[in-house]
Amino acid sequence: MISDNDQTGAKPLLSRDSSISAGSFNQMPRRRVSGKLAKPERHQSFSRDIGHAAAETYLLTRLTITLLRYLGVGYLWITRLAALGFYAALLMPGFLKVAYYYFFSSQIRRSIVYGDQPRNRLDLYLPKNLDEPKPVVAFVTGGAWIIGYKAWGCLLGQQLAERDIIVACIDYRNFPQGTIGDMVTDASQGISFICNNIAEYGGDPNRIYLMGQSAGAHISACVLLDQAIREAKGEESISWSVSQIKTYFGLSGGIMEGEESLQLYSPGVRIEDPSIGNAVSLLPPIILFHGTADYSIPSFSSKDFAAALKRLGAQTELILFDGKTHTDLFLQDPLRGGKDEMFDHLVAVIHAGDEEALAKDALAPPRKRLVPEVLLRMARHISPF
């Protein structure tokens, strides 16, 4: 924590070379209010803001240093960091437009508190027209369990809000600030907040969908399975139910199939455990999206998870996108604009049964291009993901 020392009683110190004499200093006017020196309120407020920003910067720097010490900084990490920098620079035209929307749009409610931990915040992306309750997507962002942040879902939130869908991007503690168990707990609390409070923001509590991308897909799948297991065991102290989730969407999910050593946090392994009872039967319909050219998290992760779910009777659909990489489906394709097969499928599932919404979707203008094609191709080639 950063705090200022109390120096109310300290006397001013003048150096020998000072051009201000002691006499002239005593003659300098002093503003007094009711016999006391006036307090510079604006200055103090600004100082508090600076102090808060400094504290946050210190926290992030300390976590980064801890992470680098844990991983070790070698040639591979340096080259990947450089590739990440070039990748971000190539997509910067789109990132700047998205960042402007994030910070200045009146349709976003940023950093709504859902729990008591430092990262227990969520952002809400609201449609312009809230004349009737809208469907809701609770979204858990990716970030390799290390750099996940709620703002990463801004582009998805903006584009779904344009289709009259509310998006809630859930933030959570990352490693090394928290363990995977902490991440699962945070995400579950965020989902609970959405299920119990979204009506206040114009959302329909009977049409809530859960979605996760990359590490966020893994975390949200763990949350969903944990909740189903608790309900199958008859636990009464639950604040939300899997029955409130209409469909689960997993995009490029990792550790879905898992290994025996990671059984507690490997949904594909855990659903095979006989001790969880009928938990799998309580799960909502599950749709998994994955690119076949994803080398960060190969598509067999989703294939194996889908196969295990189907074998146990869960309603599951696996949709593979030929030649798509880990970032194509979530970043490059949305930044490209125009028609997007995954986005269209997502909207179609959410609006299923709503003839008016489907009619509007059919007439919706194509999404705007945010990055020139040549930069997108270069970014795809250099991407470290």
Side-chain angles (χ1 to χ4, degrees):
M1 255 182 104
I2 299 178
S3 61
D4 296 328
N5 292 327
D6 186 3
Q7 298 180 354
T8 306
K11 297 181 179 180
L13 299 176
L14 297 177
S15 67
R16 293 181 180 179
D17 297 331
S18 173
S19 60
I20 303 177
S21 66
S24 62
F25 178 84
N26 291 330
Q27 294 173 4
M28 293 177 67
R30 304 186 203 179
R31 290 183 58 201
R32 291 181 178 271
V33 178
S34 301
K36 297 182 180 180
L37 288 174
K39 296 182 180 179
E41 295 182 359
R42 292 184 179 180
H43 178 72
Q44 289 180 351
S45 177
F46 179 74
S47 298
R48 284 195 299 269
D49 291 341
I50 292 296
H52 178 71
E56 291 294 318
T57 302
Y58 170 75
L59 172 62
L60 292 175
T61 303
R62 183 169 60 83
L63 293 177
T64 301
I65 292 173
T66 303
L67 175 63
L68 292 176
R69 285 177 179 172
Y70 178 81
L71 296 175
V73 181
Y75 174 78
L76 179 61
W77 283 100
I78 293 175
T79 55
R80 286 194 174 186
L81 183 61
L84 177 61
F86 283 118
Y87 174 79
L90 290 169
L91 299 181
M92 191 57 65
F95 289 163
L96 290 175
K97 294 173 185 176
V98 174
Y100 181 85
Y101 173 83
Y102 181 76
F103 287 109
F104 298 104
S105 174
S106 61
Q107 294 175 239
I108 305 178
R109 304 290 182 269
R110 289 182 296 276
S111 295
I112 297 173
V113 178
Y114 68 78
D116 57 4
Q117 294 297 324
R119 297 287 296 273
N120 287 178
R121 307 288 187 273
L122 60 83
D123 294 334
L124 282 181
Y125 297 80
L126 305 175
K128 289 183 178 179
N129 183 4
L130 287 171
D131 57 341
E132 60 183 6
K134 304 296 183 182
V136 182
V137 172
F139 182 64
V140 184
T141 63
W145 303 272
I146 299 172
I147 57 171
Y149 184 55
K150 56 188 173 63
W152 299 169
C154 182
L155 183 56
L156 177 70
Q158 178 183 4
Q159 294 179 341
L160 286 178
E162 291 173 353
R163 297 295 186 90
D164 281 346
I165 299 169
I166 294 176
V167 179
C169 290
I170 302 171
D171 204 8
Y172 54 90
R173 285 169 287 176
N174 286 197
F175 177 83
Q177 189 179 19
T179 65
I180 290 183
D182 294 329
M183 301 175 203
V184 171
T185 297
D186 289 351
S188 182
Q189 286 184 313
I191 295 168
S192 174
F193 178 90
I194 294 165
C195 288
N196 292 290
N197 297 278
I198 199 60
E200 298 176 15
Y201 298 92
D204 186 347
N206 296 314
R207 288 189 293 168
I208 298 176
Y209 300 80
L210 177 60
M211 182 176 182
Q213 185 264 339
S214 190
H218 164 248
I219 293 169
S220 53
C222 287
V223 170
L224 200 61
L225 185 56
D226 276 354
Q227 194 69 18
I229 292 173
R230 293 178 65 188
E231 293 181 29
K233 292 180 178 180
E235 293 187 19
E236 297 181 358
S237 58
I238 58 174
S239 58
W240 65 281
S241 171
V242 290
S243 63
Q244 294 176 270
I245 306 300
K246 296 278 288 183
T247 303
Y248 167 75
F249 302 102
L251 173 58
S252 307
I255 319 185
M256 292 302 197
E257 79 295 348
E259 299 177 0
E260 293 297 333
S261 60
L262 297 172
Q263 183 171 355
L264 185 59
Y265 298 114
S266 298
V269 173
R270 204 171 180 198
I271 59 175
E272 303 274 11
D273 186 353
S275 66
I276 67 172
N278 66 331
V280 174
S281 66
L282 301 179
L283 296 174
I286 294 173
I287 301 177
L288 304 177
F289 303 110
H290 220 120
T292 60
D294 187 337
Y295 300 109
S296 295
I297 301 176
S299 58
F300 68 73
S301 177
S302 289
K303 290 179 182 177
D304 292 349
F305 187 41
L309 287 166
K310 289 180 179 179
R311 186 167 59 251
L312 294 170
Q315 185 179 339
T316 309
E317 181 180 5
L318 172 64
I319 302 176
L320 298 175
F321 297 89
D322 189 42
K324 296 294 185 180
T325 67
H326 190 68
T327 54
D328 276 337
L329 297 173
F330 187 65
L331 271 181
Q332 282 96 280
D333 286 352
L335 290 171
R336 180 174 285 112
K339 186 175 179 59
D340 183 334
E341 186 179 353
M342 191 208 77
F343 181 81
D344 290 344
H345 189 92
L346 185 68
V347 173
V349 172
I350 296 172
H351 282 161
D354 188 338
E355 297 300 329
E356 182 179 352
L358 291 172
K360 287 182 179 179
D361 292 336
L363 299 175
R367 296 184 300 175
K368 296 179 181 179
R369 175 182 286 274
L370 301 179
V371 177
E373 185 63 28
V374 62
L375 296 183
L376 287 170
R377 291 181 181 274
M378 291 173 65
R380 188 181 193 273
H381 180 71
I382 203 174
S383 172
F385 303 107

